[in-house]
């Protein structure tokens, strides 16, 4: 098979401080063969055979394909199904309005949109339509992403405590009037499966996806859904299971101040300090959101090698707070960026999500700047550290997978940009999915600006729409949760008032 040779104006490898000019990316069999000076191409790459395909474009910036380090594959945002943005603890109570979209349909549409914004790999935090059919759903999700050209990391969730309310749940339930009290209590199922059943699920999905795992298109991670929802016994059993098999663990953690308060009430210390003390903290674990971290927590994260994931738009939309971006940069923490299915415009635009992350730190004034290069590394080489075994790796180098995206500089720079401007800084400053011209995964095109790619996304969206129209035609989704939302809001507002005092 001949080589594919891409000659952009600029090439950035995911690590270096600057993009290089006049470079050629040489690809064979889905792997980067070499990166050479384009003007030496005739000497390093045999020509004239008719089997090499050379693509030159002086309006391109070529980068590693992005890693969406935390998402849910919902297809459409909850806001599309009458679930407005509000504080996470209230918002979660409203999710019974969501329709059970088949995961192959939802993940194919999400995958097509992600490819269109330069993403090559997604970590999929699985929200099951049915726990009894979760293995089938995970296989369907992987097939949906793969059909769209994406690599995926599948994370089947596990919980065994504190469903719906984190702490003082019995007190909360007793404070509800009937029949709301009985209805709410009946809906609590803390442990839907045992750990043994969960590990069997992992093994079944691993077996069913063995070919794609072997070929580097997917991997499975353990997924205790969140610190307050999973017991220490479960976490430590998962750690033992994972380390024996070379797997990683991914969970939501410290998304809100109420989750931080749960740790304080339970152990008299932070989640991170507790996890360090019980031996759960290490490079095998990644934490999504990670908003409510103090200075000591960040230092422990650095020392342990654990990975953080910033979900900037989601943290804004669900009133959770701001990731400590400036501190993460100062400590050079390993951190990624995840869209969480809640981008600022509900459009799965990863490039815009990078900008929200860049601008969304807590600090103000002269200490508030973040180097755009740190954001780009979070989107690529740092974010890829969530992987247990290399999938995308977020790096372009000989021997690595040929996962990359090409941005159109004419669109990025329009209507005017000084010619000496740094293309990497400008990418973080203003790029959107409209700048993406090509995305490749494993040396294979997964997105382009031609009509066929636009039609693919439109057709996938039409499938989602038809599915939702059919699912919601009987009106059974029209739950009125207003009363329980009011009580939940008042319950956590009391905690907020206690914290102030």
């Amino acid at each position: 098979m001949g080589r594919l040779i891409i000659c952009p104006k600029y090439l950035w490898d995911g690590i270096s401080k600057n993009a290089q000019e006049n470079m050629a990316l040489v690809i064979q069999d889905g792997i980067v063969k070499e990166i050479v000076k384009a003007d030496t191409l005739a000497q390093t790459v045999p020509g004239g055979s008719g089997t090499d395909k050379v693509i030159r474009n002086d309006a391109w910036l070529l980068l590693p394909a992005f890693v969406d380090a935390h998402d849910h594959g919902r297809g459409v945002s909850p806001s599309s199904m009458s679930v407005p943005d509000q504080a996470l603890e209230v918002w979660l109570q409203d999710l019974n309005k969501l329709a059970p979209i088949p995961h192959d349909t939802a993940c194919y549409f999400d995958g097509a949109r992600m490819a269109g914004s330069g993403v090559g790999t997604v970590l999929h935090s699985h929200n099951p339509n049915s726990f009894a059919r979760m293995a089938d759903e995970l296989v369907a999700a992987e097939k949906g992403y793969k059909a769209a050209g994406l690599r995926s990391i599948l994370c089947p969730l596990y919980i065994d405590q504190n469903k719906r309310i984190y702490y003082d749940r019995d007190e909360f339930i007793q404070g509800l009037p009937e029949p709301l009290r009985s209805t709410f209590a009946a809906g609590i199922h803390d442990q839907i499966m045992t750990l043994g059943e969960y590990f069997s699920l992992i093994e079944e999905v691993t077996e069913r996806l063995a070919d794609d795992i072997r070929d580097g298109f997917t991997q499975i991670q353990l997924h205790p859904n969140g610190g307050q929802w999973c017991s220490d016994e479960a976490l430590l059993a998962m750690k033992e299971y994972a380390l024996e098999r070379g797997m990683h663990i991914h969970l939501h953690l410290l998304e809100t101040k109420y989750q931080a308060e749960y740790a304080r009430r339970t152990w008299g210390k932070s989640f991170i300090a507790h996890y360090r003390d019980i031996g759960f903290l290490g490079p095998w674990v990644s934490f999504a959101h990670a908003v409510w971290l103090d200075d000591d927590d960040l230092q422990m994260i650095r020392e342990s090698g654990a990975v953080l994931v910033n979900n900037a738009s989601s943290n804004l939309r669900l009133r959770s707070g701001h990731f400590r971006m400036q501190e993460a940069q100062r400590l050079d923490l390993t951190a990624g960026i995840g869209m969480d299915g809640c981008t600022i415009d509900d459009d799965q635009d990863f490039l815009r999500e990078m900008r929200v992350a860049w601008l969304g730190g807590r600090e103000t004034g002269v200490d508030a700047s973040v180097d755009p290069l740190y954001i780009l590394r979070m989107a690529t080489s740092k974010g890829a550290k969530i992987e247990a075994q290399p999938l995308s790796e977020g790096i372009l180098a000989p021997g690595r997978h040929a996962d990359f995206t090409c941005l159109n500089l004419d669109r990025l720079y329009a209507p005017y940009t000084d010619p000496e401007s740094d293309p990497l800084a400008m990418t973080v400053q203003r790029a959107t999915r409209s700048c993406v011209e090509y995305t490749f995964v494993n040396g294979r095109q997964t997105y382009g600006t031609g009509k066929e790619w636009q039609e693919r996304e439109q057709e996938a969206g039409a499938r989602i729409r038809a599915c939702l129209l059919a699912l919601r035609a009987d009106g059974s989704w029209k739950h009125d949760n207003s009363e329980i939302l009011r009580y939940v809001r008042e319950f956590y507002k009391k905690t907020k008032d206690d914290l102030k005092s």
Side-chain angles (χ1 to χ4, degrees):
M1 182 181 293
R3 295 172 170 88
L4 172 63
I5 304 167
I6 312 289
C7 303
K9 180 175 179 59
Y10 296 106
L11 185 149
W12 182 63
D13 60 10
I15 302 175
S16 302
K17 292 184 177 180
N18 300 294
Q20 294 180 283
E21 290 191 69
N22 189 36
M23 303 303 293
L25 184 72
V26 183
I27 301 158
Q28 189 166 35
D29 298 328
I31 301 296
V32 176
K33 197 74 174 171
E34 55 185 336
I35 300 174
V36 297
K37 283 287 187 181
D39 55 15
T40 66
L41 206 55
Q43 288 75 43
T44 59
V45 179
S49 66
T51 60
D52 292 333
K53 181 179 180 181
V54 180
I55 304 174
R56 297 179 184 273
N57 196 311
D58 288 337
W60 283 355
L61 164 63
L62 190 152
L63 314 105
F66 305 127
V67 178
D68 180 357
H70 180 84
D71 219 304
H72 288 279
R74 291 191 180 98
V76 297
S77 169
S79 64
S80 302
M81 291 180 271
S82 303
V83 182
D85 296 345
Q86 48 192 326
L88 176 78
E89 286 73 18
V90 180
W91 182 82
L92 290 172
Q93 313 293 331
D94 219 16
L95 294 185
N96 60 355
K97 294 177 181 177
L98 302 189
I101 304 169
H103 286 86
D104 53 350
T105 299
C107 293
Y108 177 69
F109 179 52
D110 258 356
R113 292 197 296 171
M114 289 177 191
S117 67
V119 172
T121 299
V122 57
L123 183 143
H124 172 83
S125 171
H126 190 73
N127 297 121
N129 293 334
S130 165
F131 277 90
R133 296 192 295 273
M134 187 153 52
D136 292 337
E137 292 179 7
L138 287 158
V139 171
E142 193 270 346
K143 298 305 181 188
Y145 287 126
K146 188 179 179 186
L150 267 69
R151 305 181 194 273
S152 60
I153 301 168
L154 302 177
C155 298
L157 92 168
Y158 177 87
I159 62 173
D160 66 359
Q161 64 180 22
N162 300 326
K163 186 75 178 292
R164 303 195 73 173
I165 298 291
Y166 305 153
Y167 43 75
D168 297 337
R169 188 173 64 183
D170 290 343
E171 177 185 332
F172 171 79
I173 292 172
Q174 289 305 310
L176 297 174
E178 290 289 3
L180 186 61
R181 180 193 307 163
S182 297
T183 301
F184 185 87
I188 293 174
H189 305 285
D190 279 339
Q191 188 175 42
I192 296 174
M193 63 176 72
T194 67
L195 267 175
E197 290 168 335
Y198 181 74
F199 293 148
S200 294
L201 167 73
I202 296 290
E203 289 157 13
E204 178 186 347
V205 176
T206 299
E207 182 178 352
R208 291 173 64 177
L209 294 175
D211 290 345
D212 286 346
I213 292 172
R214 182 198 63 228
D215 294 340
F217 273 96
T218 194
Q219 66 181 231
I220 317 297
Q221 294 194 10
L222 304 184
H223 186 37
N225 198 39
Q228 63 283 345
W229 293 312
C230 293
S231 65
D232 288 351
E233 294 76 14
L235 295 178
L236 292 176
M238 288 186 183
K239 173 195 167 185
E240 181 179 358
Y241 183 95
L243 294 184
E244 286 177 355
R245 293 160 178 80
M247 300 175 73
H248 277 191
I249 301 171
H250 179 75
L251 64 156
H252 303 79
L253 193 75
L254 289 167
E255 186 170 354
T256 72
K257 64 176 69 178
Y258 309 109
Q259 294 173 6
E261 174 65 5
Y262 168 83
R264 186 191 68 79
R265 293 187 182 200
T266 305
W267 304 297
K269 63 183 76 170
S270 73
F271 264 115
I272 302 302
H274 177 66
Y275 285 170
R276 179 202 58 190
D277 292 347
I278 66 172
F280 184 67
L281 200 61
W284 55 79
V285 65
S286 58
F287 301 121
H289 296 284
V291 171
W292 293 87
L293 297 166
D294 63 25
D295 291 345
D296 291 339
D297 292 336
L298 290 169
Q299 190 61 45
M300 285 183 275
I301 292 288
R302 182 186 186 188
E303 292 168 0
S304 71
V307 181
L308 304 181
V309 180
N310 182 10
N311 309 103
S313 290
S314 176
N315 294 339
L316 287 171
R317 290 178 59 171
L318 301 184
R319 286 59 164 173
S320 298
H322 300 281
F323 182 82
R324 299 186 70 185
M325 182 63 73
Q326 289 84 6
E327 292 86 348
Q329 176 186 244
R330 287 186 197 121
L331 293 171
D332 195 27
L333 297 183
T334 302
I337 293 171
M339 293 191 286
D340 201 30
C342 282
T343 51
I344 205 76
D345 295 320
D346 277 346
D347 58 358
Q348 293 296 75
D349 189 332
F350 192 84
L351 285 152
R352 183 178 281 118
E353 186 68 14
M354 289 163 54
R355 185 154 49 262
V356 178
W358 180 50
L359 297 172
R362 292 181 181 179
E363 291 190 7
T364 59
V366 295
D367 293 326
S369 62
V370 174
D371 188 345
L373 190 62
Y374 185 74
I375 298 294
L376 283 168
R377 287 173 175 160
M378 288 177 69
T380 54
S381 55
K382 282 183 176 291
K385 297 298 184 182
I386 59 170
E387 302 166 5
Q389 296 83 35
L391 294 178
S392 71
E393 303 175 83
I395 295 169
L396 293 172
R400 306 296 180 103
H401 292 297
D403 293 8
F404 61 92
T405 188
C406 296
L407 305 186
N408 187 299
L409 293 168
D410 289 341
R411 295 180 207 142
L412 178 65
Y413 287 178
Y416 172 80
T417 301
D418 283 338
E420 64 271 18
S421 297
D422 178 3
L424 300 181
M426 292 306 298
T427 295
V428 175
Q429 176 72 55
R430 64 167 67 162
T432 64
R433 58 181 297 138
S434 65
C435 298
V436 176
E437 191 136 334
Y438 282 106
T439 302
F440 279 72
V441 172
N442 215 41
R444 176 176 170 268
Q445 186 177 350
T446 60
Y447 176 78
T449 53
K451 184 179 179 182
E452 64 179 291
W453 303 100
Q454 313 308 314
E455 289 178 347
R456 178 181 78 156
E457 188 172 321
Q458 291 167 5
E459 289 167 3
R463 282 173 55 192
I464 286 272
R465 183 175 185 277
C467 178
L468 282 168
L469 287 172
L471 285 169
R472 300 169 86 79
D474 63 1
S476 61
W477 56 274
K478 293 185 178 179
H479 301 288
D480 181 3
N481 297 318
S482 57
E483 189 175 10
I484 190 63
L485 298 189
R486 178 170 62 85
Y487 279 97
V488 171
R489 188 177 290 109
E490 288 301 314
F491 174 78
Y492 284 108
K493 183 177 183 298
K494 182 177 182 298
T495 300
K496 183 179 178 181
D497 291 342
D498 290 344
L499 290 172
K500 286 180 180 177
S501 62

